[in-house]
Amino acid sequence: MKLQRKNRLRATALGALAVSGALVLTACGSDDNTGGDTGGSSKSAAPASNIKCDGAEGQLRASGSSAQKNAMDLWVKNYMAACSGVEVNYSSSSSGEGIVAFNQGTVGFAGSDSALKPEEVAESKKVCKTGQGINLPMVGGPIAIGFHLEGVDKLTLDAPTLAKIFDTKIKKWNDPAIAKLNDGVKLPDKAIQAFHRSEDSGTTQNLGKYLNAAAPSDWKYEAEKKWPAPGGQAASGSSGVASQVKAVDGAIGYFELSYATSQDITTVDINTGGAAPVEATSENASKAIAAAKVKGTGKDLALDLDYTTKAEGAYPIVLVTYEVVCDTGNKADTLGTVKSFLTYTASEDGQKVLTEAGYAPIPEAINAKVRETVAGLS
């Protein structure tokens, strides 16, 4: 049954490309880069003719969110295959570290699973000189809740129960709250081993936003990049959390879907209060992301996500990873490569490869705005 479920997960990811781009436009997170099986390194490169290398030269350094690591691996591979002599080096650390590096001027762009805070925008003006840092949504996807429980290959949880698990209020797998959501499932009398990120993470912050919105009575912590709750066990990066969940019987943790698919980790279905529990797939995440609203101003395209959606088939625990760049005042020696590379990642071809790694493409309505903004970077 577990294999069938995994095959179904991979198959449904392909449906993400068909999601409507009807994104409502209003006033206009993260890890290591130490290799391992990402599930994306064996994909074929995009046709060179579809990638424009105009203005690109030398080396481009970038860093930040590990949520997009597997997507970035694909993008960099395809781009460098097309643009001879250009080197793109993305260091996957964390959203927090990426923004620090960007505001210190050591990278051409940063990846972050959370939009820049006002104080981070203010800090960016020292580096951008004539402009400021802006958020460009480039890749979306579900934050999967992975678990490892011998004898159990299907599990449903809701937001209040998930909040109590990660807050160590629910300590055993056969707790009545879990049993109530899983009628007919034989749950063992086993301790729950809850894993969270050890470093500042946009993935942590987005999980916190979901729990704040969907279980406000049970999750009293602010949605910050640093893990807020006592107890539990920490691991470095999404890859570290995923590795611990895979290795430890009784474990549960959170990470991007690509880590679950590449390591064959079973994921939790989420009871949103809708007609049926929702599986963590790219297609289901896209249904939630497509209903987002732009909350940024000017060229900033930060999104407002609805974590309380009960829409049929919409997976509510989602994140969007932003590429953070200067709107104006980018460094002359990297500007051409930044524009060329991000033009590819935001292109139809660049977005198409996302489903191969368990991600959700950005809906076309907002992606058109991203392409327009990238073209105007200076």
Side-chain angles (χ1 to χ4, degrees), residues 136 299 339 342-343 369-378:
L136 302 178
K299 294 182 179 180
K339 292 180 69 171
L342 295 185
T343 294
K369 291 286 186 181
V370 173
R371 291 193 291 265
E372 179 183 340
T373 302
V374 170
L377 297 179
S378 64

Side-chain angles (χ1 to χ4, degrees), residues 47-129:
S49 60
N50 293 336
I51 297 177
K52 305 302 182 184
C53 308
D54 300 344
E57 60 182 358
Q59 184 182 69
L60 171 62
R61 296 182 65 242
S63 69
S65 162
S66 68
Q68 67 173 354
K69 177 188 182 319
N70 296 340
M72 192 61 70
D73 286 348
L74 282 170
W75 284 333
V76 169
K77 175 187 174 183
N78 293 349
Y79 182 79
M80 289 177 59
C83 299
S84 177
V86 180
E87 181 180 350
V88 178
N89 184 354
Y90 182 80
S91 176
S92 175
S93 51
S94 70
S95 295
E97 292 175 75
I99 290 174
V100 168
F102 177 77
N103 281 340
Q104 289 177 342
T106 60
V107 294
F109 71 87
S112 177
D113 307 327
S114 298
L116 293 167
K117 295 180 179 179
E119 59 269 27
E120 292 169 337
V121 173
E123 185 72 14
S124 74
K125 294 179 180 180
K126 299 177 183 178
V127 172
C128 298
K129 305 298 184 183

Side-chain angles (χ1 to χ4, degrees), residues 24 28 52 162 165 184 284 295 303 327 346 358:
V24 181
C28 298
K52 305 302 182 184
L162 199 58
I165 288 173
N284 292 344
K295 64 179 179 180
L303 302 180
D327 54 359

